[in-house]
């Protein structure tokens, strides 16, 4: 799959225009995008990063990383996904960076999602849904998720997010109405963010292949 990820990551470079500040996601597919971005780094004004992991890779390449508060609204955000449905709605957060990813997606005019073909699904939910939670609310939120969805939340033991929180991965969901589920899970006190990107889906999906498919 890494070749498919590379092809998707490199295709996304076509969306980068001179002088842009580029929003950068997190994960192994995005790593290929960052490596390709390094080749044209002198043409862009900088980046906004969604994780410490991506920030480190960007800085290794000598690419400037800016604070979103200074960058303002962004023209372009490029990120991967764990699942993608035919409406470009996504599950994200396999890399635990969902909250910052969601913030940057919201701040961006165009969200280009880069995936390998294994990420395409008819209905979201086979991949366990990541939910970022304030640590003291972990058990409370888990109980409410069971009552609300019937899914099984599993604490991602040993993982602390860049924001100092924990992740619950919710198994056994079939998410037929992702917009409603995203809204309802967001209401539970203690939930920081939900790895459903349905209210603000991707605008473009690039599926890695020979040639890459642009949806
Ligand atoms: C990180 C994410 C990633 O985009 C998602 O997990 C996909 O990762 P990869 O490109 O390594 O398959 O949401 O929080």
């Amino acid at each position: 799959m890494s070749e498919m990820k590379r092809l998707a990551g490199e295709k996304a470079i076509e969306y980068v225009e001179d002088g842009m500040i580029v929003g950068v996601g997190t994960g192994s597919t995005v790593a290929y995008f960052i490596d390709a971005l390094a080749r044209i780094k002198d043409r862009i004004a900088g980046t906004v990063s969604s994780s410490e992991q991506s920030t480190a890779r960007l800085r290794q390449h000598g690419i400037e990383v800016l604070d979103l508060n200074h960058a303002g609204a962004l023209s372009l955000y490029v990120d991967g996904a764990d699942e993608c449905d035919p409406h470009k709605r996504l599950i994200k957060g396999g890399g635990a960076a969902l909250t910052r990813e969601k913030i940057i997606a919201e701040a961006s005019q165009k969200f280009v999602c880069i995936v390998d073909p294994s990420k395409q699904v008819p209905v979201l939910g086979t991949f366990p849904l990541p939910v970022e939670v304030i640590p003291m609310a972990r058990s409370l939120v888990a109980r409410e998720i069971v009552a609300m969805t019937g899914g099984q939340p599993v604490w991602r033991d040993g993982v602390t997010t860049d924001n100092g929180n924990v992740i619950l991965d919710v198994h056994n969901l079939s998410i037929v109405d992702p917009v409603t589920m995203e809204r309802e899970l967001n209401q539970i006190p203690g939930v920081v963010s939900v790895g459903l990107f349905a209210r603000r889906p991707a605008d473009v999906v690039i599926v890695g292949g020979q040639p890459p498919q642009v949806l």
Side-chain angles (χ1 to χ4, degrees):
M1 273 315 156
S2 63
E3 180 59 6
M4 299 294 166
K5 291 182 179 196
R6 185 183 66 77
L7 290 166
E10 298 200 341
K11 179 76 177 170
I13 288 295
E14 292 177 15
Y15 291 83
V16 179
E17 292 173 16
D18 288 1
M20 267 185 176
I21 298 176
V22 182
V24 177
T26 298
S28 54
T29 316
V30 165
Y32 288 112
F33 173 72
I34 293 174
D35 294 350
L37 194 62
R39 291 181 221 129
I40 58 161
K41 66 180 178 187
D42 296 334
R43 285 176 32 203
I44 61 169
T47 58
V48 172
S49 168
S50 61
S51 63
E52 301 303 327
Q53 181 192 313
S54 289
T55 297
R57 195 174 190 100
L58 288 160
R59 292 210 166 117
Q60 272 166 20
H61 282 299
I63 300 173
E64 192 173 2
V65 180
L66 305 166
D67 183 329
L68 181 63
N69 293 304
H70 296 142
L74 305 178
S75 309
L76 176 67
Y77 178 48
V78 178
D79 197 359
D82 300 299
E83 278 187 353
C84 174
D85 81 2
H87 304 282
K88 304 186 178 73
R89 301 176 299 198
L90 314 169
I91 286 183
K92 294 185 43 55
L98 60 157
T99 299
R100 295 187 190 190
E101 292 172 340
K102 201 170 254 198
I103 292 167
I104 302 178
E106 186 73 15
S108 300
Q109 210 179 349
K110 184 173 279 182
F111 175 5
V112 174
C113 183
I114 49 178
V115 293
D116 66 68
S118 73
K119 307 292 182 66
Q120 292 181 287
V121 296
V123 177
L124 300 173
T126 302
F127 189 91
L129 175 66
V131 179
E132 180 166 354
V133 178
I134 299 284
M136 72 168 284
R138 192 186 77 233
S139 301
L140 166 77
V141 171
R143 288 195 297 277
E144 298 217 2
I145 287 176
V146 172
M148 199 179 270
T149 69
Q152 272 83 54
V154 175
W155 177 25
R156 206 183 293 179
D157 204 0
V159 171
T160 303
T161 70
D162 287 348
N163 313 306
N165 299 313
V166 298
I167 299 283
L168 294 173
D169 293 306
V170 188
H171 293 248
N172 300 326
L173 294 174
S174 175
I175 308 175
V176 287
D177 183 355
V179 174
T180 301
M181 185 175 283
E182 180 179 4
R183 186 176 58 237
E184 290 183 351
L185 291 176
N186 267 322
Q187 308 284 339
I188 303 172
V191 168
V192 177
S193 68
V194 179
L196 272 173
F197 286 55
R199 189 185 66 81
R200 200 276 181 256
D203 299 302
V204 175
V205 174
I206 300 175
V207 185
Q210 204 63 278
Q213 217 188 329
V214 179
L215 307 175

